Amino acid sequence: MIPEATALSAATPDDRFMREALALASEAAAAGEVPVGAVVVKEGEIIGRGYNRPITTSDPTAHAEIIALREAARVLGNYRLTGCELYVTLEPCAMCVGAMVHARLARIVYGASDPKTGACGSIVDLPALVTFNHHGRFEGGVLADECSGVLKRFFAERR
């Protein structure tokens, strides 16, 4: 058996979907955008994909998560994405957390923490607010080193 095949088959679903998000982050970087990628998953299938596009679209809401949520909502024909999970390479900001709560996602998994705009504990912890009408599970640190590395390389190249 090929060693790479063994490593891939041993990957958890979280690793697999985060790698999909990392591939999308690379697309963002190639377009000159901050390299963040996201996927929405329902029953083990990706139904929404997105990568950062605020610069290329002149749209401050064109974060990877928002684009992935919009695509998933179109696929399902419903803004409520109950039973879905979202994987994103960087800790979501306040805008994206709000959209995730409104979408009623079951679970949100992110890679790297964001000490500048992270709203899942880095600067504020919006998921901890008990007054929200919906509470998905927020989990960080999946492939964190890889996710962080993509961002560090991107910004190092621009300095």
Side-chain angles (χ1 to χ4, degrees), residues 18-44:
M18 190 61 74
R19 288 197 192 290
E20 292 285 339
L22 278 163
L24 290 163
S26 294
E27 290 187 46
E33 299 275 4
V34 174
V36 178
V39 296
V40 176
V41 176
K42 180 154 180 110
E43 299 172 358

Side-chain angles (χ1 to χ4, degrees), residues 13-83:
D14 284 354
D15 290 348
R16 188 177 120 227
F17 293 125
M18 190 61 74
R19 288 197 192 290
E20 292 285 339
L22 278 163
L24 290 163
S26 294
E27 290 187 46
E33 299 275 4
V34 174
V36 178
V39 296
V40 176
V41 176
K42 180 154 180 110
E43 299 172 358
E45 297 295 323
I46 295 174
I47 61 167
R49 289 177 168 80
Y51 59 85
N52 267 4
R53 296 183 200 170
I55 297 167
T56 55
T57 62
S58 299
D59 179 356
T61 69
H63 289 197
E65 302 95 308
I66 301 298
I67 293 167
L69 288 170
R70 288 175 179 159
E71 184 175 300
R74 276 192 301 274
V75 166
L76 295 180
N78 194 335
Y79 78 95
R80 290 187 177 175
L81 304 177
T82 54

Side-chain angles (χ1 to χ4, degrees), residues 70-157:
R70 288 175 179 159
E71 184 175 300
R74 276 192 301 274
V75 166
L76 295 180
N78 194 335
Y79 78 95
R80 290 187 177 175
L81 304 177
T82 54
C84 293
E85 299 174 314
L86 184 140
Y87 292 81
V88 61
T89 57
L90 184 64
E91 179 182 358
C93 70
M95 173 185 69
C96 291
V97 169
M100 292 168 190
V101 168
H102 287 291
R104 291 162 175 77
L105 293 168
R107 184 170 173 244
I108 297 87
V109 179
Y110 62 90
S113 294
D114 183 354
K116 295 187 179 190
T117 63
C120 299
S122 287
I123 62 164
V124 295
D125 194 357
L126 294 180
L129 294 176
V130 296
T131 53
F132 275 140
N133 65 329
H134 173 78
H135 291 276
R137 241 174 44 235
F138 285 76
E139 301 171 19
V142 173
L143 301 181
D145 291 341
E146 289 180 49
C147 293
S148 177
V150 167
L151 289 157
K152 287 177 183 172
R153 283 189 299 279
F154 176 81
F155 288 112
E157 290 171 4

